[in-house]
Amino acid sequence: MKIYDTPGFPNPLRVRIVLAEKGLLSRVEFINVDLVAAEHKQPAFLSINPAGTVPVLELEDGTFISECTAITEYLDNLEGNPTLTGRTAREKAVIHMMQKRAESWLIDAIGIYFHHATPGLGPVLRAYKRPQWEGRTEWGQMHREQAEAGLGYFESVLRGQPYIAGESFSMADATVLGGLLFAHYADIPVPVEYRALLAWKQRMYQRPSVATQCFGDTPSI
Ligand code: GTS
């Protein structure tokens, strides 16, 4: 298998944590995609993922799978022992719901803020982000507010349970970890009074899958 991604970036981190959780890192060849140079917006990359985003998984038979959730489902079910996406109908539904919230209310919102209300990854990529649009900064700021509200939401969730989707680690935790990394890059602080979220983060760092991926090529968050 091949993973097209950019080490140290938030969405790639989600899948790298999953690979580490599943003990699959050694079965993957990583292909670096230069986001700063907008390599992911060029025809060659768009032919494997028309959304122009990383990560992308390439299977041995040439199938390309994009979207962290789809990649995670594939990896989690590869050996018939799903541990991150749920086993029962209820587990699957709750994990799906929480991970979607983690995307919409946190990591995706931060991405929109970062790329539209800040210099983002610089001038080359900016050219692909509607630079002439007058409303872009305001739109980006609205998503920063959404991300701050998202942090508050996950603080309230973690006051009542140990993991994002309940009693065990799941892909929803990986998504929130990616969100916190993006918050760090986008200069969106986690308020110090968010003790449950900060304690969860420290607990996550005790997990080998998270510690190796967050302290390897990824800065601490
Ligand atoms: N929903 C997608 C997924 O789950 O894979 C999101 C992927 C995504 O936005 N990836 C970012 C990207 O490719 C990488 S990261 O910076 O968020 O880690 N961004 C490229 C761009 O031009 O915005």
Side-chain angles (χ1 to χ4, degrees):
M1 294 184 285
K2 292 179 187 163
I3 294 271
Y4 298 77
D5 80 354
T6 313
F9 277 62
N11 280 285
L13 174 66
R14 296 165 61 185
V15 165
R16 285 175 179 242
I17 290 172
V18 168
L19 286 164
E21 279 285 330
K22 303 298 288 185
L24 292 169
L25 278 166
S26 63
R27 287 174 54 181
V28 168
E29 178 192 350
F30 288 97
I31 314 276
N32 193 60
V33 180
D34 188 345
L35 296 189
V36 174
E39 189 184 346
H40 56 304
K41 302 300 183 196
Q42 308 313 313
F45 188 86
L46 294 174
S47 71
I48 68 167
N49 179 12
T53 58
V54 291
V56 176
L57 169 67
E58 182 180 358
L59 305 184
E60 306 295 343
D61 69 0
T63 303
F64 290 103
I65 301 178
S66 58
E67 294 300 323
C68 292
T69 46
I71 297 170
T72 300
E73 277 182 21
Y74 179 82
L75 298 173
D76 199 29
N77 288 287
L78 196 53
E79 287 173 349
N81 178 32
T83 51
L84 302 173
T85 54
R87 289 173 183 272
T88 66
R90 180 186 177 282
E91 279 174 10
K92 285 175 196 275
V94 171
I95 291 168
H96 185 131
M97 173 181 75
M98 295 307 286
Q99 112 74 37
K100 181 68 183 168
R101 289 177 186 171
E103 282 189 345
S104 302
W105 300 353
L106 198 59
I107 191 167
D108 289 353
I110 295 168
I112 291 169
Y113 165 70
F114 180 72
H115 288 292
H116 295 88
T118 82
L121 290 178
V124 179
L125 184 55
R126 190 156 232 227
Y128 294 86
K129 304 279 181 187
R130 302 179 69 185
Q132 313 304 339
W133 179 36
E134 276 185 16
R136 69 196 302 277
T137 304
E138 194 183 354
W139 191 62
Q141 283 296 343
M142 278 166 47
H143 284 83
R144 181 184 173 121
E145 287 166 28
Q146 172 62 81
E148 287 168 343
L151 290 173
Y153 170 72
F154 288 111
E155 164 67 14
S156 69
V157 167
L158 290 165
R159 282 184 191 161
Q161 59 194 40
Y163 296 95
I164 298 296
E167 297 302 315
S168 58
F169 185 89
S170 74
M171 73 167 160
D173 294 278
T175 307
V176 174
L177 283 163
L180 291 190
L181 177 63
F182 217 161
H184 170 78
Y185 284 142
D187 218 5
I188 301 175
V190 178
V192 286
E193 62 271 25
Y194 286 4
R195 293 208 182 92
L197 183 57
L198 291 166
W200 166 86
K201 187 180 84 171
Q202 292 312 317
R203 284 202 312 281
M204 292 302 98
Y205 277 21
Q206 308 301 315
R207 287 182 87 80
S209 66
V210 177
T212 53
Q213 298 313 305
C214 285
F215 294 119
D217 47 27
T218 306
S220 92
I221 38 178

